[in-house]
Amino acid sequence: MASSHSSSPVPQSNSSDAFFKKEMDATKRFRPVQSLPDVCPKEPTGDPSNLCDSPSLVVDQQRWTIYHSKVNLPAALNDPRSPRNILHYTNRKSLRERRFMKDARIFVLLKIPLAGLYYTHTINPEQIWNKYLSTAGGKGNRDAASSKLLQEKLSHYLDIVEVNIAHQISLRSEAFFHAMTSQHELQDYLRKTSQAVKLLREKISKIDKVMCEGSLRVLRLSLTRNNCIKAYNKLKLMATVHQTQPTVQLLLSTSEFVGALDLIATTQEVLQQELQGIHSFRHLGSQLCELEKLIDKMMIAEFSTYARNDLNRPLEDDCQILEEERLISLVFGLLKQRKLNFYEIYGDEMINTAKNIIKQCVVNTVSQIEEIDTEVVVKLADQMRMMNFPQWFDLLKNIFSKFTIFLKRIKATLNTIRSVVFLVLDKNQKNRDLEDTLQKNSAKESLVDTEVAYLTHEGMFISDAFGEGELPAGAADTTSQRNTSPNSEPCSSDSVSEPECTTDSSSSKEQTSSSVTPGGVEMMIGDDMKLTDLELVRLANNIQELLYNASDICHDRSVKFLMARAKDGFLEKLNSNEFVTLSRLMEGFILDTEQICGKKSMSLRGALQSQANRFVNRFHEERKTKLSLLLDNERWKQAEVPAEFQDLVDSVSDGRISLPEKKPAATEERKPAEFLIVEGQKYATVGTVLLLIRIILEYCQCVDNIPSITTDMLTRLSDLLKYFNSRSCQLVLGAGALQVVGLKTITTKNLALSSRCLQLIVHYIPIIRAHFEARLQPKQFSMLRHFDHITKDYHDHIAEISAKLVAIMDSLFDKLLSKYEVKAPVPSACFRNICKQMAKMHEAIYDLLPEEQTQMLFLRINASYKLHLKRQLAHLNVVNDGGPLNGLVTSDVAFYTGNLQALKGLNNLDLNMAEIWEQKR
């Protein structure tokens, strides 16, 4: 009752002793009531010490108690900081409740008001008290007296309580009367309000009848009309859907797979959106799915038939696409059904067709050769091996021609398929661009007014009452697209704001017939090609790879055909011209296939390289054997030079490193020359070297005819030149010709001729090197070092021959001058003999070696002569003192000098004979 003067409590979750605390004094805790409150402190009774601390209803009415609590119970229960306070609070409250109920029973007995309410139960205190006294009286008179005294005391307390209650009521009488008066005023206000509400309702009812009822009726009728139109169109749509299966069967009968698939897809969409839940169509969806699977199988079978017919056409010079419209329609249908591996069917058919092409070519060729009896020789491979080279070469040429047309036809077909794939890819890109544009535009435009007025009448929205023609443009377009079916009949004239529907079942046929045009192809693509760009790009790459595979297939079949003929060593027995012709044919076919397919196939090139390696080995062994036989029979005498060899050398000097064609017989009547003229220089040579030059040109010409063997030919030619150098050294310098050929001795003429032959080969090495360098890849230039090594070896060999000639004369000088004596007559026999041998040496080498080389050689011989003469004069103690001995020596030296300078080409030779005398120290 005193709660109006207290403050609200604050929940404290951190305390375990109390749940509610007063805001003014957070540290103070209130104890529960321990005894009956003293309601009349002015008239205390009993022991004052027992009453001073007891609570008083009068004194403590401004004091905060538990009943002043105004905390929101859900907030206290949901306090996450102190989940255990509620439990503690309930436990404490249960204890208080038990105490309260105990006190309540006493209050009930005493008719004391409890919490502002009076208990209506009437209890007889006398009866209870007498019962109590009878119970206590059994214990003795003393107890009875005590009980009587207690009864009087309690009666006194009861009187005090009644006086205090009356006093409290008198203090609060004004509040009671004020509350009753306020209640009467409130009742008056409620009565007036009720009358105003009743009046307002009557006015609203009149307004509803006058202004709203008619308008709402119009809206309901408009909504009913639109619903009837929708129901009518729905029935027409159901009738159209009912005709789907017969229409699909009709389209399939004409192989209109794209139209049939479009019709099925549209019908499925209508069933899932417009006709969902229609009981009569509950099985139509599954039937259409099965029909779609059947169409998949039919399209695959149709594409397989198309591939077979396309590839097995007669291979003429016609690379036109077979039934291009049909192919485009099939590809669109397969893409629509995500049958992305259809190209594998075409690949399998390519393999079979390639086999049949070779087989048919062999059969046709064998049938035209009378020498081959097909009844005796049954197998085609055996029949083919009976052909000679011209016949087999013509067969191979025919196979290559057929394969070229075959690949061109495949390329045209696959390019058409790839173009369809790229069209779908472009359409996807355009759709994405359109979506991006629409999103940007929609972000800039204002949206439809979000404050939609709702009409609560019959639970409908006001917007539902309007026709579809009044919808926003975007919504109307969406509804139009949803309700449009390619096989629905035109709507009736009484349809309001409904989009027109089309029913022409032959539309797909018209699209297919015009599919070759860009517009027709665009129409066939549609918006339901659910293929990602990654899938389309991968498919396009696979189709391009299929073209590469076609080239590989043709090359592989050609390799097998080639190997079947090479089993008996036929290809290895070909001469150079035949192999070059075969190589050129194969190289031409390889280049044609690379140009058509855009890929280098290595199988046929590898087979050609393998056969070329065998050819190179045989070619090299034949020529090396031939050179070996020529060297073993070479007598190292100067040979005459036929005119054809001079012409060969002249063509090389003109920059044509090749074997000249055979000239008419009149040219062969020219007499052979004594020397070979090379760029104005005369070369005395042997027959073996002339043939070696021709062999070298054969190597160079093979490189021109078969570029793939350039590196092998370079290695083999290097080996051949090294072999000639080493073998000629063994035969001449090593005197091997004495045993091999049967020469009696190796003369200075043999040595000089050998040196000149080596110089002729050295002259051609840079030309050969340049020829090979022009045909090597830059990364292969390191192989040219072989020619540098060969040139060095040849120069070393030439130097060894020159040293050998000097050594011959050196031994002669040592033998003659060691017996030289300074005495008359002059010239001495020793010097006459020396001059005679010098003249023979000059006669032997002058016509073989160039003049400069001859002079250099005699300068070296003269130096050897002076060394030996100087040593002999020192031995004889002859000095340049002008004495008689000095005069005799001077006369002999003058005779030697005169004879030597009298030799052809040596007249200007500086002999410097003063070096024979010892210098004075």
Side-chain angles (χ1 to χ4, degrees):
M1 295 176 65
S3 60
S4 60
H5 300 283
S6 63
S7 59
S8 300
V10 178
Q12 300 294 330
S13 61
N14 295 329
S15 174
S16 60
D17 298 332
F19 184 75
F20 294 98
K21 296 184 178 180
K22 189 177 180 182
E23 290 180 334
M24 298 172 58
D25 189 3
T27 61
K28 184 174 181 181
R29 295 179 175 84
F30 299 94
R31 294 172 294 177
V33 179
Q34 301 295 331
S35 61
L36 187 66
D38 186 1
V39 296
C40 189
K42 296 180 179 180
E43 299 178 1
T45 58
D47 190 1
S49 61
N50 296 332
L51 298 176
C52 63
D53 294 331
S54 300
S56 175
L57 293 176
V58 179
V59 178
D60 295 338
Q61 56 181 332
Q62 301 299 328
R63 185 176 179 182
W64 188 88
T65 65
I66 192 65
Y67 303 106
H68 293 87
S69 175
K70 296 179 181 178
V71 173
N72 187 4
L73 183 59
L77 294 174
N78 292 328
D79 187 3
R81 297 172 297 177
S82 55
R84 297 184 180 180
N85 284 342
I86 297 301
L87 182 59
H88 176 74
Y89 172 76
T90 55
N91 292 336
R92 199 175 68 178
K93 289 300 293 180
S94 62
L95 179 61
R96 291 183 177 182
E97 183 180 3
R98 287 194 298 270
R99 293 177 179 174
F100 174 77
M101 294 304 296
K102 180 179 178 182
D103 295 337
R105 286 194 294 270
I106 299 174
F107 292 161
V108 168
L109 293 175
L110 301 179
K111 295 185 179 180
I112 298 175
L114 181 61
L117 299 176
Y118 284 91
Y119 283 90
T120 58
H121 300 284
T122 301
I123 301 175
N124 189 356
E126 248 177 74
Q127 185 179 359
I128 296 174
W129 184 249
N130 291 332
K131 186 176 180 181
Y132 172 76
L133 290 179
S134 63
T135 304
K139 298 180 180 180
N141 294 329
R142 187 177 179 180
D143 292 335
S146 177
S147 298
K148 186 176 181 180
L149 180 60
L150 178 59
Q151 182 182 3
E152 294 177 355
K153 187 177 181 180
L154 291 177
S155 298
H156 176 69
Y157 284 159
L158 179 58
D159 294 337
I160 293 174
V161 168
E162 290 177 352
V163 171
N164 284 321
I165 288 174
H167 179 68
Q168 292 295 330
I169 291 174
S170 64
L171 292 177
R172 289 166 175 76
S173 59
E174 185 179 355
F176 288 150
F177 288 117
H178 179 71
M180 293 301 295
T181 303
S182 299
Q183 185 176 8
H184 290 301
E185 293 177 357
L186 182 61
Q187 289 178 354
D188 293 338
Y189 289 147
L190 290 175
R191 183 170 55 258
K192 292 178 181 179
T193 303
S194 176
Q195 292 175 355
V197 169
K198 183 179 179 180
L199 181 61
L200 179 61
R201 287 181 177 178
E202 291 176 355
K203 291 181 179 180
I204 291 175
S205 178
K206 292 179 181 180
I207 293 173
D208 179 55
K209 291 180 180 180
V210 175
M211 301 181 64
C212 299
E213 188 172 321
S215 300
L216 291 176
R217 185 170 177 271
V218 171
L219 292 177
R220 284 196 298 270
L221 291 176
S222 176
L223 183 61
T224 302
R225 180 176 179 273
N226 287 334
N227 289 338
C228 292
I229 293 173
K230 291 180 180 179
Y232 173 70
N233 290 332
K234 189 77 70 176
L235 291 174
K236 288 199 303 181
L237 185 60
M238 292 174 63
T240 303
V241 170
H242 185 67
Q243 296 297 323
T244 298
Q245 288 179 310
T247 307
V248 169
Q249 296 293 341
L250 179 62
L251 292 173
L252 293 180
S253 64
T254 58
S255 299
E256 296 292 339
F257 300 108
V258 176
L261 290 172
D262 288 338
L263 179 57
I264 291 175
T266 304
T267 305
Q268 291 279 26
E269 183 179 358
V270 170
L271 288 175
Q272 293 175 2
Q273 296 180 1
E274 304 295 332
L275 301 180
Q276 187 176 10
I278 303 298
H279 185 73
S280 59
F281 290 150
R282 64 187 184 277
H283 300 305
L284 183 58
S286 59
Q287 293 172 358
L288 292 177
C289 290
E290 293 297 327
L291 191 59
E292 191 172 2
K293 294 179 182 178
L294 176 62
I295 294 176
D296 291 349
K297 296 179 181 179
M298 293 178 63
M299 284 193 300
I300 292 174
E302 185 75 10
F303 185 78
S304 179
T305 303
Y306 175 86
R308 192 178 305 108
N309 295 337
D310 178 48
L311 296 176
N312 289 287
R313 291 184 283 162
L315 291 170
E316 301 173 354
D317 293 334
D318 181 17
C319 298
Q320 295 294 329
I321 301 175
L322 178 66
E323 300 181 20
E324 185 176 6
E325 301 175 5
R326 176 187 173 196
L327 173 62
I328 294 175
S329 177
L330 279 173
V331 173
F332 273 120
L334 292 168
L335 292 179
K336 188 180 184 68
Q337 296 303 105
R338 300 182 62 85
K339 302 297 180 182
L340 303 183
N341 59 344
F342 66 91
Y343 63 90
E344 297 177 358
I345 300 174
Y346 201 85
D348 295 337
E349 195 62 38
M350 287 192 311
I351 298 175
N352 297 330
T353 305
K355 295 179 182 178
N356 294 333
I357 288 175
I358 294 181
K359 182 178 180 181
Q360 191 63 37
C361 289
V362 174
V363 170
N364 294 339
T365 304
V366 169
S367 63
Q368 298 174 1
I369 301 176
E370 299 179 355
E371 293 82 1
I372 301 177
D373 189 354
T374 56
E375 296 181 357
V376 178
V377 183
V378 180
K379 293 182 178 180
L380 286 178
D382 296 335
Q383 296 172 1
M384 180 187 63
R385 294 189 186 98
M386 296 180 66
M387 300 178 187
N388 55 30
F389 178 76
Q391 294 170 343
W392 180 81
F393 182 79
D394 291 338
L395 172 60
L396 181 62
K397 186 176 181 180
N398 185 29
I399 291 174
F400 285 165
S401 176
K402 299 294 184 184
F403 274 157
T404 302
I405 300 174
F406 177 66
L407 290 176
K408 289 180 179 179
R409 184 172 295 171
I410 291 174
K411 181 180 181 180
T413 302
L414 294 182
N415 283 345
T416 301
I417 297 175
R418 291 184 77 232
S419 65
V420 173
V421 176
F422 285 131
L423 281 174
V424 178
L425 187 61
D426 293 341
K427 185 63 178 296
N428 287 352
Q429 183 63 39
K430 290 179 181 179
N431 290 339
R432 284 196 302 271
D433 295 341
L434 180 60
E435 290 177 1
D436 294 341
T437 303
L438 291 177
Q439 289 178 359
K440 292 179 181 178
N441 292 338
S442 62
K444 296 179 180 179
E445 295 176 357
S446 61
L447 300 177
V448 181
D449 189 5
T450 57
E451 297 180 357
V452 180
Y454 292 97
L455 182 63
T456 57
H457 181 67
E458 296 184 356
M460 300 299 296
F461 295 126
I462 290 180
S463 58
D464 293 337
F466 294 95
E468 291 179 359
E470 300 175 6
L471 293 176
D477 294 341
T478 305
T479 307
S480 174
Q481 293 176 3
R482 185 178 67 248
N483 293 332
T484 301
S485 173
N487 298 300
S488 59
E489 298 179 357
C491 301
S492 61
S493 59
D494 59 348
S495 300
V496 179
S497 303
E498 287 294 321
E500 258 190 352
C501 307
T502 59
T503 60
D504 188 3
S505 61
S506 63
S507 60
S508 298
K509 190 182 301 181
E510 294 175 358
Q511 292 173 0
T512 305
S513 63
S514 62
S515 62
V516 292
T517 63
V521 173
E522 288 289 337
M523 292 290 291
M524 291 181 66
I525 295 177
D527 294 330
D528 55 349
M529 288 285 185
K530 305 302 181 182
L531 295 173
T532 63
D533 290 354
L534 180 61
E535 290 175 331
L536 292 172
V537 171
R538 186 183 294 115
L539 178 59
N541 292 337
N542 291 336
I543 294 172
Q544 184 64 35
E545 191 66 27
L546 187 62
L547 180 60
Y548 299 155
N549 293 341
S551 176
D552 293 339
I553 290 170
C554 294
H555 282 222
D556 293 341
R557 302 311 304 179
S558 300
V559 169
K560 291 184 178 180
F561 176 79
L562 204 65
M563 293 299 102
R565 189 65 183 91
K567 282 187 176 180
D568 55 354
F570 172 76
L571 298 180
E572 297 179 3
K573 297 176 183 177
L574 299 179
N575 58 39
S576 299
N577 293 331
E578 291 174 342
F579 187 83
V580 168
T581 304
L582 174 62
S583 176
R584 286 179 176 176
L585 177 64
M586 295 175 67
E587 285 285 352
F589 175 69
I590 291 172
L591 293 177
D592 290 341
T593 56
E594 290 177 358
Q595 183 178 4
I596 295 171
C597 302
K599 179 191 176 184
K600 291 185 178 181
S601 297
M602 302 308 299
S603 57
L604 185 59
R605 192 182 297 275
L608 175 61
Q609 186 65 42
S610 177
Q611 293 298 326
N613 291 337
R614 294 190 181 96
F615 169 76
V616 168
N617 290 333
R618 181 178 56 82
F619 179 89
H620 176 65
E621 292 299 329
E622 288 179 355
R623 276 131 186 92
K624 189 174 182 180
T625 302
K626 181 179 180 180
L627 179 61
S628 177
L629 293 175
L630 291 173
L631 287 172
D632 289 344
N633 292 279
E634 181 60 59
R635 301 188 67 85
W636 297 101
K637 291 183 179 180
Q638 183 178 358
E640 293 181 341
V641 180
E644 59 175 325
F645 284 97
Q646 185 61 54
D647 294 339
L648 183 64
V649 170
D650 293 341
S651 67
V652 174
S653 300
D654 295 338
R656 299 188 302 273
I657 305 178
S658 60
L659 296 174
E661 298 179 358
K662 292 184 178 180
K663 296 182 180 180
T667 308
E668 300 294 335
E669 295 179 357
R670 291 184 301 170
K671 295 181 179 180
E674 184 178 4
F675 295 96
L676 184 67
I677 308 300
V678 179
E679 296 180 0
Q681 290 191 16
K682 295 191 302 182
Y683 284 88
T685 181
V686 296
T688 299
V689 174
L690 292 176
L691 294 175
L692 177 60
I693 293 174
R694 184 180 181 88
I695 291 173
I696 291 173
L697 294 181
E698 288 177 354
Y699 277 81
C700 296
Q701 190 170 9
C702 276
V703 170
D704 290 337
N705 296 330
I706 313 174
S708 60
I709 63 174
T710 301
T711 55
D712 290 337
M713 276 296 184
L714 189 151
T715 305
R716 301 301 192 281
L717 180 57
S718 300
D719 179 69
L720 186 72
L721 294 175
K722 289 179 181 179
Y723 176 77
F724 173 77
N725 184 44
S726 61
R727 186 59 178 162
S728 62
C729 182
Q730 293 172 1
L731 293 174
V732 180
L733 278 178
L738 299 179
Q739 292 81 19
V740 176
V741 185
L743 296 179
K744 296 181 179 179
T745 182
I746 301 298
T747 63
T748 54
K749 193 169 187 177
N750 298 139
L751 292 171
L753 188 59
S754 175
S755 176
R756 194 58 174 163
C757 290
L758 293 173
Q759 293 172 20
L760 178 61
I761 301 301
V762 168
H763 173 78
Y764 282 107
I765 288 179
I767 300 175
I768 299 170
R769 175 194 171 100
H771 181 78
F772 277 89
E773 184 177 3
R775 287 152 183 81
L776 288 175
Q777 298 294 330
K779 62 182 180 180
Q780 298 173 335
F781 285 168
S782 60
M783 299 186 67
L784 297 174
R785 67 180 185 277
H786 294 296
F787 292 112
D788 299 333
H789 297 161
I790 292 171
T791 302
K792 180 178 181 302
D793 293 341
Y794 272 66
H795 282 300
D796 292 342
H797 190 183
I798 294 171
E800 290 177 3
I801 293 176
S802 298
K804 182 65 175 177
L805 292 174
V806 174
I808 291 173
M809 297 304 296
D810 184 78
S811 62
L812 178 64
F813 294 149
D814 182 55
K815 179 180 179 181
L816 295 177
L817 291 176
S818 63
K819 299 178 181 180
Y820 172 63
E821 293 181 359
V822 182
K823 61 181 180 178
V826 178
S828 63
C830 177
F831 272 79
R832 286 197 300 269
N833 197 5
I834 289 174
C835 290
K836 181 180 178 181
Q837 295 299 327
M838 294 284 279
K840 288 182 178 180
M841 170 67 75
H842 181 269
E843 183 182 0
I845 67 173
Y846 182 76
D847 293 333
L848 301 178
L849 297 178
E851 184 174 340
E852 297 81 3
Q853 188 175 353
T854 302
Q855 292 176 358
M856 293 299 299
L857 180 62
F858 272 90
L859 284 176
R860 293 178 61 185
I861 294 173
N862 181 62
S864 176
Y865 162 76
K866 291 189 292 183
L867 180 63
H868 285 283
L869 179 58
K870 182 178 181 180
R871 185 182 300 127
Q872 184 63 21
L873 292 176
H875 177 68
L876 298 175
N877 293 322
V878 178
V879 296
N880 188 14
D881 56 357
L885 294 178
N886 179 260
L888 293 175
V889 172
T890 301
S891 298
D892 286 338
V893 170
F895 174 76
Y896 165 80
T897 302
N899 277 276
L900 187 59
Q901 291 180 343
L903 297 176
K904 187 184 297 186
L906 301 181
N907 53 344
N908 295 325
L909 200 64
D910 184 11
L911 299 180
N912 194 13
M913 297 307 296
E915 294 179 353
I916 64 175
W917 303 107
E918 287 285 349
Q919 296 294 332
K920 294 181 179 180
R921 298 180 181 178

